[in-house]
């Protein structure tokens, strides 16, 4: 639960209000002081920099100032006080404010929300209640640790696990595939997600991880022989694409555990930029040898259309930065519609990533997405919990309810640990 940012939580809270309109500055100061906040104000760049040294807990930031706009202010905050909570307030349109919010978040800042001018007391109370929670102790512990050899240790000591997130057909509601995701079960730190151990992993250990992932997916595939069209996918790191032995090793593993259906290899869109030629060669060889290729996180990177045209793929997975919130954002809907047309134009399936709510799901169905993946359906689950999901679990994509046969499994799926 979010921590409420008011006097009821104990000590007076420190707020910095930055606006060059004297009347608005006085009004905002009065309204926050009324809620027992300790308020400082700034009306230009110099006074703002001076006020930042006091390390306020919340900054109320106007986007249009005489000698400094909101985007420039983000840079100052990121340099001098990056962990502060920020509320944007402005007379600009909500669309412009949302663009500014995205810029702030991409700079690593905590933008809690938007406050339109003029605002009433209820707006202040609502804004104060948005104060971000403290970082969990585990996150702080991971920051202090050297994770360089974490993946090496996990492979050596058997801490590595593979979890599977279902992919759901938006035409039938059936679970038609799953993505294999690596986890580390650390004896002291618990279950760790890839963001903790992949960035520091060596190429050699990423290669070992890829082989382990395919072995696990092949074993699960063998257990799902009664579902001959079920598709399992694993992620391939772009840093491995230059290895001429990569596909040969993957082929050898897949042949040792024969199964029906197709194994899909997911390559991120950013690999088009970092390893364009290697990616095209690898993808073409993979398709020639019976694998499917999925372009992952599309919309998050900078792939150009020519490279897309030269790479064979059967899936275009649209990044959650494009799909999440599409129900309430007409611009995101436009991007989603274009992405579907692009995928279908290449005779590929359009997959929506990060589907977390029913409103977005309805829009994605209307836009003719083929497949969806996200917490609305299921979090990633352990393989031993996944075995019978394809048989027992179907999803009503209009009402977001599992069918009668799948109710028990849907509960166990949704109660899986968030990682």
């Amino acid at each position: 639960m979010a921590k409420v940012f008011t006097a009821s939580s104990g000590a007076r809270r420190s707020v910095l209000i930055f606006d060059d309109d004297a009347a608005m500055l006085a009004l905002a100061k009065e309204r926050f002081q009324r809620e027992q906040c300790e308020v400082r104000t700034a009306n230009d760049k110099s006074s703002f920099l001076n006020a930042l040294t006091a390390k306020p807990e919340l900054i109320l930031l106007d986007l249009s100032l005489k000698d400094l706009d909101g985007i420039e202010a983000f840079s100052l905050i990121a340099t001098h006080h990056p962990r502060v909570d920020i509320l944007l307030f402005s007379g600009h349109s909500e669309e412009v404010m949302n663009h500014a919010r995205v810029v702030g978040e991409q700079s690593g800042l905590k933008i809690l929300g938007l406050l339109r001018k003029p605002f009433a007391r209820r707006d202040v109370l609502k804004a104060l209640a948005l104060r971000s929670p403290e970082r969990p102790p585990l996150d702080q512990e991971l920051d202090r640790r050297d994770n360089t050899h974490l993946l090496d240790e996990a492979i050596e000591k058997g801490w590595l696990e593979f979890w599977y997130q279902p992919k759901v057909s938006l035409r039938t509601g059936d679970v038609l595939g799953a993505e294999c995701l690596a986890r580390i079960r650390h004896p002291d730190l618990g279950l760790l997600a890839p963001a903790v151990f992949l960035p520091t992993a060596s190429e050699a250990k990423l290669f070992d991880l890829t082989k382990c992932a395919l072995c696990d997916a092949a074993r699960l595939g063998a257990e799902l022989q009664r579902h001959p069209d079920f598709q399992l996918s694993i992620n391939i790191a772009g840093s491995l694409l230059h290895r001429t032995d990569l596909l040969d090793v993957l082929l050898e593993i897949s042949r040792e555990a024969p199964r029906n259906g197709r194994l899909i290899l997911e390559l991120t869109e950013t690999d088009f930029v970092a390893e364009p030629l290697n990616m095209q060669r690898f993808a073409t060889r993979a398709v020639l040898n019976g694998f499917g290729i999925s372009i992952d996180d599309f919309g998050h990177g900078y792939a150009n259309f020519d490279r897309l045209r030269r790479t064979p793929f059967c899936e275009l997975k649209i990044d959650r930065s494009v799909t999440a919130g599409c129900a309430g954002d007409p611009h995101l809907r436009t991007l989603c519609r274009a992405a579907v047309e692009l995928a279908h134009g290449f005779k590929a399936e359009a997959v929506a990533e990060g589907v977390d709510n029913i409103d977005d799901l309805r829009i994605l169905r209307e836009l003719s997405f083929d497949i969806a993946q996200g917490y609305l359906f299921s979090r990633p689950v352990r393989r031993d919990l996944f075995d019978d999901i394809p048989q027992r679990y179907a999803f009503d994509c209009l009402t977001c309810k599992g069918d009668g046969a799948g109710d028990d499994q849907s509960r166990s799926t949704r109660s899986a640990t968030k990682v």
Side-chain angles (χ1 to χ4, degrees):
M1 180 180 294
K3 192 173 181 180
V4 177
F5 188 73
T6 64
S8 62
S9 60
R12 288 162 61 87
R13 303 297 179 182
S14 58
V15 178
L16 169 59
I17 303 173
F18 188 17
D19 196 329
D20 59 3
D21 184 320
M24 179 56 65
L25 201 60
L27 175 63
K29 179 177 180 179
E30 184 273 330
R31 288 190 170 159
F32 277 85
Q33 284 179 330
R34 186 182 298 177
E35 305 310 322
Q36 304 303 307
C37 294
E38 181 182 331
V39 181
R40 300 188 65 174
T41 61
N43 60 5
D44 58 24
K45 180 177 180 179
S46 176
S47 60
F48 180 60
L49 279 170
N50 183 60
L52 279 178
T53 62
K55 304 299 181 185
E57 296 173 78
L58 174 70
I59 295 177
L60 193 66
L61 177 64
D62 186 20
L63 291 176
S64 296
L65 304 155
K66 290 179 181 177
D67 63 345
L68 188 74
D69 61 50
I71 306 305
E72 292 174 303
F74 289 156
S75 297
L76 296 179
I77 296 170
T79 300
H80 298 283
H81 193 19
R83 294 195 177 278
V84 68
D85 292 335
I86 302 170
L87 280 169
L88 304 180
F89 80 130
S90 176
H92 284 292
S93 69
E94 185 174 350
E95 179 181 354
V96 171
M97 292 179 73
N98 274 316
H99 283 307
R101 178 178 191 160
V102 170
V103 172
E105 291 172 342
Q106 290 176 340
S107 301
L109 300 177
K110 296 186 291 184
I111 311 296
L112 297 188
L114 312 175
L115 202 59
R116 291 294 306 280
K117 295 180 181 180
F119 52 86
R121 181 171 184 261
R122 64 179 179 274
D123 300 316
V124 173
L125 292 174
K126 182 178 179 181
L128 289 175
L130 293 173
R131 186 177 185 227
S132 63
E134 298 294 329
R135 298 180 72 229
L138 175 59
D139 286 357
Q140 298 176 33
E141 171 65 20
L142 290 171
D143 284 347
R144 290 191 293 266
R145 287 178 56 92
D146 178 6
N147 297 320
T148 304
H149 302 293
L150 185 55
L151 181 58
D152 311 44
E153 191 176 13
I155 293 174
E156 179 184 342
K157 296 183 178 180
W159 298 344
L160 200 60
E161 295 183 359
F162 292 98
W163 291 44
Y164 292 83
Q165 186 171 35
K167 296 163 69 174
V168 177
S169 168
L170 294 189
R171 289 189 290 270
T172 66
D174 294 331
V175 177
L176 49 72
E179 179 181 358
C180 176
L181 301 164
R183 301 288 185 260
I184 287 178
R185 178 79 62 179
H186 195 280
D188 299 320
L189 301 175
L191 195 65
L192 303 180
V196 176
F197 56 86
L198 286 188
T200 58
S202 65
E203 179 186 309
K205 289 306 173 183
L206 287 175
F207 189 51
D208 291 341
L209 175 64
T210 302
K211 292 187 290 184
C212 291
L214 185 55
C215 285
D216 198 84
R219 284 194 294 269
L220 177 57
E223 297 166 8
L224 295 174
Q225 288 295 320
R226 60 189 180 278
H227 304 287
D229 297 323
F230 198 81
Q231 296 186 342
L232 292 166
S233 60
I234 67 168
N235 292 277
I236 305 293
S239 60
L240 300 179
L241 295 178
H242 71 93
R243 295 186 62 134
T244 56
D245 62 338
L246 174 61
L247 188 64
D248 297 328
V249 170
L250 297 181
L251 279 170
E252 182 180 352
I253 294 172
S254 63
R255 286 168 181 159
E256 289 176 356
R259 61 177 300 273
N260 295 324
R262 181 164 52 168
L263 285 165
I264 295 177
L265 309 178
E266 296 196 8
L267 308 171
T268 65
E269 184 193 3
T270 53
D271 295 332
F272 275 104
V273 179
E275 298 282 348
L277 183 57
N278 288 330
M279 182 176 184
Q280 290 166 16
R281 286 174 173 168
F282 175 82
T284 302
R285 282 196 67 208
V287 170
L288 290 173
N289 284 277
F291 290 104
I293 292 294
S294 176
I295 306 301
D296 197 12
D297 299 336
F298 189 80
H300 180 71
Y302 304 95
N304 64 44
F305 292 124
D306 182 63
R307 288 173 180 166
L308 197 65
R309 178 175 67 88
R310 297 177 185 277
T311 304
F313 61 95
C314 63
E315 279 187 353
L316 194 65
K317 298 187 73 174
I318 313 306
D319 188 71
R320 65 172 296 114
S321 64
V322 178
T323 61
C326 64
D329 188 326
H331 293 147
L332 287 180
R333 288 198 296 276
T334 298
L335 292 174
C336 286
R337 183 179 296 107
V340 170
E341 292 180 1
L342 183 65
H344 291 170
F346 280 95
K347 303 296 188 289
E349 292 186 300
V351 182
E353 296 185 292
V355 181
D356 296 340
N357 67 75
I358 182 64
D359 294 329
D360 286 348
L361 176 63
R362 291 191 177 113
I363 293 299
L364 295 168
R365 288 188 77 251
E366 291 175 8
L367 295 176
S368 299
F369 272 82
D370 304 292
I371 300 169
Q373 183 177 345
Y375 285 178
L376 179 63
F377 305 101
S378 171
R379 301 175 188 273
V381 296
R382 298 197 315 267
R383 181 157 63 87
D384 60 320
L385 293 178
F386 190 90
D387 290 353
D388 63 347
I389 282 181
Q391 181 178 358
R392 301 183 57 208
Y393 184 51
F395 204 85
D396 186 331
C397 292
L398 289 175
T399 63
C400 281
K401 295 178 181 178
D403 66 16
D407 287 346
D408 292 340
Q409 183 61 61
S410 67
R411 281 193 290 271
S412 67
T413 300
R414 293 181 189 179
S415 64
T417 304
K418 181 177 180 180
V419 291

